[in-house]
């Protein structure tokens, strides 16, 4: 029986590779790089659904990372791999889902995976690093050097050494749990028209695309500052896992709406400085 470890994102899978090698655990890693928290996710099993999602991501890449245009072919290949991974997993295999209960992309990702593999008699196991961090009362040190409790949101946030403890919490998934995830994916997300999703009260929920705009404006000031600083502050304060490209896209929209002023170039992020627009200051 073959074993496959599925992780979500390059950071998570890099941590997994280090851990599995150190622990000498068997199995191959399948890395799904897609961020399920953003963009259209409807009908991903159809060619139209795949194409719609790819075009959305391509537009995001072009708008926020012009330097990546030369790598669009590579991104397209990775995107296609995320859609066809199920073909690489034989029936009867063991699949270990490495995820964070506080990460929207992970939570939608595991539902997508079990839905794609539901006909293959897979033995599913799961490691939830969020639950693990709560179990061990994980803490971090804040800017004022205070020790505070922290819930790890995704595998990408945890050191590989910590995965040894998380591995000990690995649990087999019941048929009822698998059916619940498949139903949630197929009933709520397979036909969803949403473009942005978050976790609230433990559940994945669709929200408007401008959900983060208020936070971006709150972290902006009267003086010009690097857009990356504002984005980093929003990401640091938020309980959500959200990528910098999406937030940069929202900054561009706020500039077009006259709520932010800018100097430099709209992209890439390192060349952009922003401040609150005069009209915003008087609101």
């Amino acid at each position: 029986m073959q074993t496959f470890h599925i992780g979500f994102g390059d950071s998570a899978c890099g941590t997994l590779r280090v851990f599995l090698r150190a622990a000498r655990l068997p199995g191959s890693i399948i890395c799904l790089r897609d961020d399920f928290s953003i963009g259209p996710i409807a009908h991903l099993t159809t060619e139209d659904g795949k194409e719609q999602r790819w075009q959305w991501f391509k537009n995001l890449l072009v708008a926020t990372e012009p330097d990546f245009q030369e790598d669009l072919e590579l991104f397209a290949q990775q995107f296609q791999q995320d859609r066809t991974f199920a073909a690489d997993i034989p029936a009867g295999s063991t699949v270990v889902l490495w995820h964070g209960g506080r990460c929207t992309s992970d939570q939608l990702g595991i539902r997508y995976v079990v839905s794609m593999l539901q006909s293959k008699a897979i033995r599913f196991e799961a490691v939830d690093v969020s639950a693990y961090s709560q179990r061990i009362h994980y803490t971090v040190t804040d800017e004022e050097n205070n020790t505070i409790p922290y819930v790890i949101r995704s595998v990408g946030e945890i050191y590989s050494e910590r995965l040894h403890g998380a591995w000990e919490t690995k649990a087999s998934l019941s048929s009822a749990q698998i059916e619940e995830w498949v139903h949630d994916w197929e009933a709520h997300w397979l036909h969803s028209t949403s473009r942005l999703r978050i976790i609230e009260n433990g559940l994945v929920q669709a929200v408007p695309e401008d959900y983060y705009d208020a936070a971006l404006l709150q972290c902006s000031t009267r003086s010009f500052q690097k857009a990356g600083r504002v984005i980093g502050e929003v990401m640091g304060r938020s309980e959500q896992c959200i990528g910098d490209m999406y937030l940069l896209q929202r900054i561009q929209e706020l500039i077009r709406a006259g709520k932010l002023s800018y100097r430099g170039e709209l992209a890439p992020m390192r060349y952009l400085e922003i401040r609150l627009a005069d009209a915003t200051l008087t609101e």
Side-chain angles (χ1 to χ4, degrees):
M1 180 184 295
Q2 291 181 260
T3 297
F4 295 88
H5 299 266
I6 295 184
F8 301 95
D10 286 322
S11 179
C13 292
T15 302
L16 273 179
R17 288 188 184 93
V18 173
F19 164 68
L20 293 176
R21 189 182 304 118
R24 298 183 178 180
L25 292 172
S28 303
I29 294 176
I30 292 179
C31 185
L32 300 186
R33 296 175 173 86
D34 209 344
D35 183 349
F36 290 92
S37 71
I38 59 176
I41 57 174
H43 308 295
L44 284 183
T45 56
T46 69
E47 292 305 314
D48 285 347
K50 295 173 188 176
E51 180 63 18
Q52 184 182 20
R53 184 161 178 78
W54 166 241
Q55 289 300 325
W56 189 93
F57 265 102
K58 186 170 74 169
N59 292 338
L60 179 67
L61 285 167
V62 170
T64 60
E65 291 289 349
D67 296 342
F68 282 0
Q69 291 191 53
E70 298 178 358
D71 299 319
L72 280 178
E73 184 176 345
L74 174 61
F75 282 111
Q77 292 173 355
Q78 293 175 346
F79 183 85
Q80 183 63 21
Q81 290 170 1
D82 285 355
R83 307 283 81 82
T84 59
F85 78 94
D88 298 326
I89 300 178
S93 299
T94 294
V95 170
V96 184
L97 301 168
W98 293 81
H99 68 99
R102 295 292 183 90
C103 177
T104 307
S105 182
D106 285 9
Q107 290 307 298
L108 286 171
I110 58 179
R111 285 155 172 78
Y112 170 71
V113 168
V114 296
S115 175
M116 293 290 287
L117 296 174
Q118 61 181 305
S119 64
K120 287 196 168 187
I122 299 296
R123 180 173 182 261
F124 285 105
E125 298 176 336
V127 179
D128 181 348
V129 296
S130 298
Y132 166 69
S133 67
Q134 291 176 297
R135 178 176 177 178
I136 65 171
H137 305 291
Y138 186 75
T139 60
V140 296
T141 303
D142 66 13
E143 295 178 351
E144 298 177 354
N145 208 33
N146 297 314
T147 299
I148 57 174
Y150 182 77
V151 177
I152 295 171
R153 296 174 295 182
S154 68
V155 178
E157 291 186 349
I158 193 170
Y159 293 114
S160 59
E161 294 82 0
R162 286 282 188 182
L163 286 184
H164 289 273
W167 175 255
E168 297 300 319
T169 69
K170 174 175 62 71
S172 296
L173 296 179
S174 66
S175 297
Q177 177 66 84
I178 295 167
E179 290 173 4
E180 179 183 333
W181 283 351
V182 169
H183 177 266
D184 188 43
W185 175 261
E186 295 182 348
H188 297 110
W189 304 112
L190 189 59
H191 307 286
S192 173
T193 59
S194 65
R195 295 292 185 270
L196 181 64
R197 282 118 351 228
I198 65 168
I199 286 184
E200 192 169 52
N201 299 322
L203 299 174
V204 178
Q205 300 184 24
V207 293
E209 292 180 64
D210 62 0
Y211 175 82
Y212 292 100
D213 288 10
L216 289 166
L217 292 172
Q218 185 178 17
C219 291
S220 299
T221 65
R222 297 170 180 263
S223 303
F224 280 109
Q225 57 182 326
K226 290 288 189 181
R229 178 177 180 179
V230 175
I231 288 172
E233 190 169 352
V234 171
M235 292 173 67
R237 291 183 180 185
S238 178
E239 294 183 355
Q240 308 296 326
C241 290
I242 184 65
D244 56 3
M245 284 195 300
Y246 185 84
L247 293 180
L248 178 55
Q249 182 194 52
R250 293 310 310 168
I251 283 178
Q252 293 171 349
E253 290 296 325
L254 288 169
I255 290 171
R256 294 186 188 101
K259 293 187 179 274
L260 291 173
S261 298
Y262 81 101
R263 67 186 182 191
E265 300 179 19
L266 286 175
M269 179 168 53
R270 61 183 177 274
Y271 297 137
L272 176 63
E273 294 184 350
I274 58 173
R275 69 172 177 83
L276 292 172
D278 294 338
T280 305
L281 291 171
T282 58
E283 289 181 0

